[in-house]
Amino acid sequence: MIERTSKPGLNRLMKAGLSMDYRRKVHREMRNSFCAGIVMGLRAVLNKDDVCVDLGANVGEITVPLAETGATVHAFEPDPDIFQTLQGACGSFDNVVLHQAAVGVEDGEATFFRSSLSEKNPEKGATGGTLIASNTVADAENAVTAKVVNGVAFVADLLEQHGRVAFLKMDIEGAELDLMDGLIAAGLLDHIGLTVVETHRWLMPGQTRRYKDLEKLAADRPDLNLFAYWV
């Protein structure tokens, strides 16, 4: 079993007298390194018989290395401008299925808010679009209408077709809470090799308890079946 948490390491850093700002940077880099290791591991074991899902694909930073393994990759990105870039990045792969859509717990259409950080930091803003109006960076003046796909039903359909999903990445800016609840209620996690979730508690005031519950669930899952510290 792979050890998940970096908190003991951070405690040692605190005892060494390092500043809080520095500790946060070190923590971030430790998480980055762990996530990069997960991608490297996936590239070593995935093959053409596997199915992966990239929710919040953005420009394809994870979609592309997954596709290079030969696995079928379903990549979701609702922002129309970013979707064009994703199309360009994945154009040479016939094993990538692109979905210009957000992911929630019901099919339909919804307002997709771009990030208020876009002007200050375009790269950060490009990855901050959200369906959640209460997300602290949701920019109501810079929004589009997006197709929304029921993520629970989509995963269930893939499982019915293939029996297993090898990898599910979830970076959907606050919508991960309801989607994870839906996947858990439907009993789907056991049929996904690895689910990784980028959590956004600092953008979702009032949801601290739900995020803590998700992190505890991840810590209790066997063999790194769920990782709640994706970046």
Side-chain angles (χ1 to χ4, degrees):
M1 182 181 296
I2 300 174
E3 294 184 4
R4 297 170 175 76
T5 180
S6 56
K7 287 185 178 179
L10 288 178
N11 289 336
R12 287 194 291 271
L13 289 174
M14 284 189 277
K15 291 179 180 179
L18 299 176
S19 69
M20 178 60 73
D21 183 58
Y22 187 78
R23 290 199 301 272
R24 286 172 177 163
K25 290 179 180 178
V26 171
H27 190 188
R28 178 78 177 183
E29 289 305 312
M30 291 171 73
R31 289 175 61 184
N32 283 339
S33 296
F34 195 93
C35 294
I38 288 176
V39 175
M40 290 178 63
L42 289 167
R43 286 171 61 88
V45 300
L46 292 175
N47 59 58
K48 64 181 180 62
D49 296 322
D50 289 315
V51 178
C52 303
V53 183
D54 189 353
L55 305 181
N58 198 253
V59 298
E61 183 179 4
I62 302 301
T63 304
V64 169
L66 294 177
E68 289 173 343
T69 69
T72 298
V73 185
H74 290 270
F76 287 77
E77 174 53 51
D79 187 296
D81 296 329
I82 299 172
F83 186 79
Q84 289 186 0
T85 303
L86 178 64
Q87 284 181 307
C90 298
S92 63
F93 296 102
D94 59 9
N95 54 320
V96 175
V97 184
L98 296 177
H99 304 263
Q100 187 176 344
V103 180
V105 292
E106 294 182 355
D107 290 323
E109 290 187 341
T111 300
F112 180 76
F113 303 93
R114 293 187 172 100
S115 171
S116 61
L117 301 175
S118 296
E119 292 184 3
K120 294 181 180 179
N121 188 339
E123 182 179 357
K124 180 70 174 178
T127 62
T130 179
L131 291 174
I132 310 300
S134 59
N135 184 311
T136 58
V137 299
D139 185 356
E141 296 182 359
N142 189 14
V144 295
T145 299
K147 177 182 176 180
V148 181
V149 170
N150 182 330
V152 178
F154 184 84
V155 171
D157 185 58
L158 286 181
L159 291 172
E160 184 176 350
Q161 294 179 54
H162 304 283
R164 178 177 178 271
V165 170
F167 178 66
L168 169 63
K169 186 206 100 186
M170 195 180 304
D171 183 6
I172 49 179
E173 307 299 329
E176 67 275 356
L177 288 171
D178 288 344
L179 182 53
M180 281 299 303
D181 284 349
L183 293 172
I184 292 165
L188 301 183
L189 282 189
D190 288 339
H191 304 286
I192 303 171
L194 169 61
T195 298
V196 299
V197 185
E198 180 171 357
T199 53
H200 301 84
R201 67 166 68 188
W202 58 95
L203 301 178
M204 299 286 291
Q207 300 294 343
T208 299
R209 170 45 52 193
R210 293 179 73 188
Y211 280 117
K212 286 184 177 180
D213 288 345
L214 176 59
E215 290 165 3
K216 184 179 185 304
L217 175 67
D220 292 340
R221 298 290 295 184
D223 301 324
L224 195 63
N225 170 258
L226 173 61
F227 181 64
Y229 297 98
W230 192 257
V231 293

